[in-house]
Amino acid sequence: MATRRTNPTAVNVTPGGPIRVTLGPTRDVVLIEGEARTLEGTDLPATTRDAFAAKLRWNPRDSHWVFLRIAPPVMFFAVLQWGRWPPGPV
């Protein structure tokens, strides 16, 4: 994950500390929990940096950006759902 160095997500990361990140819209959220590490662009292998830039079509390698490496302490997956299932008209 890449974010601006001044973004609260990056500023509040404690090395090796717990982190919780949510992605997606309110009704379809992905919650990622794990331990975080902040990495400078120069700390990543060149192939990783290049692949990131090629896939997203922008270059997060300048000094305004940092990478966050989030690793779950154990493999744990849970699917939580609310609302109507299966989705469909109300």
Side-chain angles (χ1 to χ4, degrees):
M1 170 180 181
T3 188
R4 285 197 175 274
R5 183 180 303 284
T6 56
N7 183 306
T9 301
V11 172
N12 292 331
V13 168
T14 303
I19 189 169
R20 178 180 286 170
V21 178
T22 57
L23 308 170
T26 305
R27 295 186 57 79
D28 191 16
V29 174
V30 174
L31 175 65
I32 301 169
E33 294 180 327
E35 294 179 1
R37 230 176 89 198
T38 304
L39 301 167
E40 298 295 327
T42 55
D43 294 339
L44 294 175
T47 55
T48 302
R49 292 191 310 260
D50 294 342
F52 193 97
K55 182 170 177 99
L56 297 178
R57 296 186 181 155
W58 59 277
N59 187 351
R61 293 175 276 197
D62 68 34
S63 62
H64 295 99
W65 299 91
V66 292
F67 290 85
L68 302 179
R69 178 170 285 163
I70 302 168
V74 295
M75 294 307 269
F76 172 76
F77 297 95
V79 177
L80 305 176
Q81 170 224 326
W82 64 92
R84 180 183 162 96
W85 188 258
V90 177

